[in-house]
Amino acid sequence: MTDLDALMYTAEHEWIAVDGDIATVGITDYAADQLGDVVFVDLPAADSAVRAGEVCGEIESTKSVGELYAPLTGSVVAVNDAVVEDPSIVNSDPYGRGWLVKIRVESEPAGTLDRAAYVALTGGDA
């Protein structure tokens, strides 16, 4: 079980877990619930560069298409092929097997929220 209090969050509903210079990124359970059943995930390619705040992928659901924002600047070192093959994992296990990308961090993420602030942002529904 992931310690949700140990994660960083963005206002765009991504979570970030940093281990050394590698950040694992996914979307929150709140975002997954708001999207509905995720049916397609388009992620940046491994070895590509991402810049904080810029769109780096898409998440398509039965309700809508959501953009995935890079929460930090760096280079993609891994993409979760499991969610590309089975996007429903994003709904069923957003903080575990539903991670999306791992990014080698060039600079610390800015403007992130702790769990309490994120829960407040979502009106207590996170």
Side-chain angles (χ1 to χ4, degrees), residues 7-68:
L7 301 175
M8 294 182 279
Y9 299 88
T10 70
E12 289 76 30
H13 308 291
E14 288 99 12
W15 59 263
I16 308 163
V18 177
D19 183 12
D21 66 344
I22 303 296
T24 303
V25 177
I27 65 168
T28 65
D29 55 349
Y30 176 82
D33 287 345
Q34 293 297 308
L35 283 168
D37 295 333
V38 176
V39 295
F40 179 76
V41 177
D42 180 32
L43 300 174
D47 297 326
S48 63
V50 294
R51 181 171 297 281
E54 294 184 357
V55 174
C56 66
E58 287 185 348
I59 301 173
E60 185 176 332
S61 71
T62 54
K63 291 182 180 177
S64 66
V65 176
E67 295 178 323
L68 175 66

Side-chain angles (χ1 to χ4, degrees), residues 5 18 70 85 87 125:
D5 291 331
V18 177
E85 293 175 17
D125 291 337

Side-chain angles (χ1 to χ4, degrees), residues 44 48-52 54 56 70 72-76 103 106:
S48 63
V50 294
R51 181 171 297 281
E54 294 184 357
C56 66
L72 44 85
T73 299
S75 58
V76 176
I103 300 171
E106 289 181 9

Side-chain angles (χ1 to χ4, degrees), residues 49-117:
V50 294
R51 181 171 297 281
E54 294 184 357
V55 174
C56 66
E58 287 185 348
I59 301 173
E60 185 176 332
S61 71
T62 54
K63 291 182 180 177
S64 66
V65 176
E67 295 178 323
L68 175 66
Y69 292 90
L72 44 85
T73 299
S75 58
V76 176
V77 295
V79 174
N80 188 351
D81 291 329
V83 298
V84 173
E85 293 175 17
D86 181 6
S88 69
I89 297 171
V90 173
N91 293 107
S92 64
D93 192 10
Y95 297 106
R97 294 181 321 116
W99 64 273
L100 300 174
V101 294
K102 292 182 186 268
I103 300 171
R104 183 173 311 281
V105 179
E106 289 181 9
S107 62
E108 292 294 318
T112 60
L113 308 169
D114 63 15
R115 181 73 184 164

